[in-house]
Amino acid sequence: MSGRIEANGLEDVVAATTRLSDVDGEQGRLVLAGHAVEDIAGRLPFEDAMFLLFRGVLPTLAERASLREALGEAREAAFDRLGDLGDALALPDAMDALRAAVAHLGVRPGEEPPAEAARIVAAVAVFVAAWSRGQAPVRPDARLPHAADYLRMVAGREATPASVAALDAYLVTVIDHGMNASTFTARVVASTASDTVSAVVAAIGALKGKLHGGAPGPVLDMLDAIGEPEGARAWVSAALARGERIMGMGHRVYRVRDPRAFVLERAIADLEAASDGTSPIGRRLRLARAVEKEAETQLAARHPDRPLKANVEFYTAVLLEAVGLPRTLFTPTFASSRAAGWCAHVEEQRRHGRLIRPKSRYTNAAPAAG
Ligand code: COA
């Protein structure tokens, strides 16, 4: 019994009620505050999805502009404080650096939740970009949309509109996703009446693991190792024979293909269509599709009772590479959007939640009698 509980990983346990998102693992549907993910991702900018999480409705153009301005100002404020972060951004791993940098953010009692979220989300983007630039961080441009400025701060030059659109599609797609491990982590911290920054720091730690947000870098490593679509079969079969997991495949909740994989695939195809035909995106996409097909077939043969299909991370790798981000920034870029989801869950937990405190089952010896 005790072993079963440990191995069960709280599967199917309802740990919160939420208005933020709904994951239907059987049908392969993701709803963000009343909107199917495919209806808003690729059609609306990140700011709109963030507004939706906090206000429950999509913003008017004026409301979008106002959140955009707040994020821009918060990016500048975060940049001005880079010097106060000690050696946090010198840590060699980007997620370690992000965790350490976010831990430096101040706690402001009484700050309104949307303003606090904007401050944290903006800081995450600035810290990640600054980490990637080392000694030469790029000052934010507060007038730019959040996604455009993020790409600019990383690359040191203005991004193309097509790249910004693709990144926006990604950021909207991953902004929230039910009771995933990092969101649950944030909720546990919030449930103790701790502060939002602490909840986000803890969530970053949970997201880092390769079973959660750490998969897209290894997905790209896999695509590199396979090289050509013809190599997929042998590579996948050798990896499975070694007992390895195929990164970007399988999901705790989805029993069909992750709906976010479709949305990201569409965004990659749009990006390819906007390119001049010389970009390597199309080749990458064809390779990814071949590997996915092969992995799905071989996993189905090995696990006939457990559908293991592509998850969000599979095409995340292809999309983030296509917009010019290095693979070290894949998981931190995920965090830069999911931070908005974490903050929204923290607020919800504070308003409606109760201390999260489950029980454990003791399996060791009782004290010796006498
Ligand atoms: N490749 C190979 N085998 C896999 C697999 C994968 N990607 N995902 C699951 N399996 C196998 C497990 O080894 C297990 O086999 P077993 O019963 O013979 O031991 C079986 O499928 C069930 O897996 P389980 O670990 O119970 O699933 P889970 O719900 O705990 O895990 C993931 C879900 C996402 C952690 C898992 O599918 C995985 O590790 N995927 C790769 C990492 C990844 O892409 N993470 C991003 C998630 S969005």
Side-chain angles (χ1 to χ4, degrees):
M1 180 65 175
S2 58
R4 194 191 68 75
I5 288 173
E6 269 157 41
N8 168 279
L10 300 183
E11 184 161 355
D12 290 333
V13 171
V14 174
T17 54
T18 182
R19 298 179 60 81
L20 298 170
S21 63
D22 183 37
V23 181
D24 181 337
E26 298 299 327
Q27 301 296 321
R29 286 205 196 101
L30 168 59
V31 173
L32 294 169
H35 297 266
V37 66
E38 61 273 19
D39 292 342
I40 55 173
R43 313 213 192 288
L44 299 173
F46 170 70
E47 287 86 342
D48 286 24
M50 185 168 170
F51 188 97
L52 176 65
L53 287 190
F54 280 89
R55 314 278 183 172
V57 290
L58 288 168
T60 61
L61 288 179
E63 286 166 335
R64 176 194 293 171
S66 157
L67 176 54
R68 193 162 271 174
E69 196 180 319
L71 282 167
E73 284 168 9
R75 285 195 305 276
E76 285 189 328
F79 187 86
D80 288 338
R81 292 208 43 225
L82 284 180
D84 302 340
L85 299 180
D87 55 6
L89 295 182
L91 289 170
D93 179 273
M95 287 298 280
D96 292 345
L98 180 61
R99 173 174 37 69
V102 171
H104 279 74
L105 289 176
V107 174
R108 299 181 188 166
E111 189 177 23
E112 287 295 318
E116 184 180 52
R119 182 165 68 87
I120 293 172
V121 166
V124 169
V126 169
F127 295 162
V128 173
W131 176 87
S132 78
R133 303 283 308 175
Q135 296 305 313
V138 173
R139 171 165 278 284
D141 181 343
R143 295 161 309 172
L144 288 179
H146 190 69
D149 204 25
Y150 179 64
L151 287 177
R152 188 187 139 278
M153 287 189 292
V154 171
R157 58 176 186 281
E158 207 128 303
T160 64
S163 293
V164 174
L167 182 63
D168 262 323
Y170 170 73
L171 297 176
V172 172
T173 301
V174 302
I175 195 166
D176 195 43
H177 197 244
M179 201 46 47
N180 61 87
S182 57
T183 298
F184 181 58
T185 304
R187 280 218 180 225
V188 170
V189 175
S191 84
T192 70
S194 182
D195 63 280
T196 311
V197 172
S198 298
V200 170
V201 169
I204 290 170
L207 184 72
K208 178 187 169 186
K210 72 175 176 350
L211 299 189
H212 188 5
V219 167
L220 215 50
D221 295 341
M222 170 176 72
L223 296 182
D224 280 347
I226 294 174
E228 297 296 332
E230 301 70 44
R233 179 163 306 168
W235 194 96
V236 169
S237 127
L240 291 177
R242 288 193 300 271
E244 289 173 13
R245 290 188 176 209
I246 308 299
M247 291 293 118
M249 300 296 294
H251 198 271
R252 169 58 63 82
V253 182
Y254 292 120
R255 293 293 164 260
V256 292
R257 195 173 187 250
D258 187 330
R260 299 167 298 174
F262 292 100
V263 177
L264 298 185
E265 224 184 333
R266 181 178 74 188
I268 299 163
D270 289 348
L271 188 55
E272 189 199 5
S275 77
D276 56 7
T278 58
S279 98
I281 305 169
R283 233 182 117 233
R284 253 312 193 212
L285 189 55
R286 280 188 291 283
L287 173 62
R289 285 176 172 149
V291 174
E292 179 193 356
K293 198 160 160 255
E294 195 52 51
E296 193 181 309
T297 307
Q298 295 195 28
L299 285 168
R302 282 176 174 256
H303 300 276
D305 301 330
R306 169 110 183 170
L308 295 168
K309 308 205 184 252
N311 63 50
V312 65
E313 307 290 25
F314 203 88
Y315 288 94
T316 288
V318 181
L319 186 147
L320 294 184
E321 180 190 48
V323 300
L325 293 173
R327 65 193 78 187
T328 47
L329 294 196
F330 288 0
T331 310
T333 302
F334 186 167
S336 80
S337 171
R338 186 57 64 81
W342 294 330
C343 291
H345 276 273
V346 164
E347 194 215 354
E348 213 177 37
Q349 179 68 34
R350 276 207 194 104
R351 267 192 292 129
H352 304 297
R354 186 166 174 240
L355 174 69
I356 297 174
R357 204 302 188 191
K359 290 190 354 183
S360 52
R361 190 182 303 279
Y362 179 69
T363 60
N364 202 348

